[in-house]
Amino acid sequence: QVQLVESGGGLVQAGGSLRLSCAVSGTISSINTMGWYRQAPGKQRELVATMSRGGSTNYANSLKGRFTISRDNAKNAVYLQMNSLKPEDTAVYYCYALKSLGYWGQGTQVTVSS
């Protein structure tokens, strides 16, 4: 079992920044990909960014340049730095980890006011 706990969400004005953190615990060996997805009201969950254990990244095209994913394998944590936030970035942000199965955190709300 793998447990993921996100933190760092909140309310921010447009143009501001937030840093999300995800702490991973449990049977963490063999976790390769970790990352972030988001789900806005009335929309499907979508990719934000992922990173492999070796450091390869994959970003949603629309977010490149504003969002940066990082990972600390020693601390079993993954982070998402979000800059120049826009109201359309408002969503619940979910941490994700992939072993043989995918695991999700409970989500953290990010609200960007105009």
Side-chain angles (χ1 to χ4, degrees):
Q1 286 285 358
V2 175
Q3 293 82 42
L4 309 171
V5 179
E6 303 98 335
S7 61
L11 174 63
V12 64
Q13 289 188 332
S17 298
L18 282 175
R19 185 175 186 250
L20 305 184
S21 299
C22 176
V24 186
S25 61
T27 309
I28 60 176
S29 62
S30 301
I31 290 178
N32 184 4
T33 299
M34 295 188 65
W36 297 90
Y37 286 72
R38 69 183 185 183
Q39 188 166 17
K43 295 187 177 182
Q44 291 187 330
R45 193 171 297 189
E46 64 177 3
L47 169 73
V48 175
T50 61
M51 178 179 275
S52 71
R53 176 170 286 273
S56 297
T57 57
N58 181 36
Y59 287 91
N61 286 334
S62 61
L63 302 178
K64 288 180 180 178
R66 295 194 299 122
F67 288 18
T68 302
I69 189 171
S70 60
R71 179 171 172 172
D72 188 333
N73 292 328
K75 293 184 177 180
N76 302 317
V78 63
Y79 308 96
L80 184 69
Q81 178 67 43
M82 305 185 293
N83 298 328
S84 302
L85 283 161
K86 305 175 181 180
E88 52 264 42
D89 294 319
T90 295
V92 178
Y93 284 71
Y94 295 92
C95 183
Y96 172 77
L98 178 64
K99 293 180 59 174
S100 55
L101 298 175
Y103 294 87
W104 297 93
Q106 82 287 351
T108 185
Q109 177 70 47
V110 172
T111 303
V112 184
S113 63
S114 57

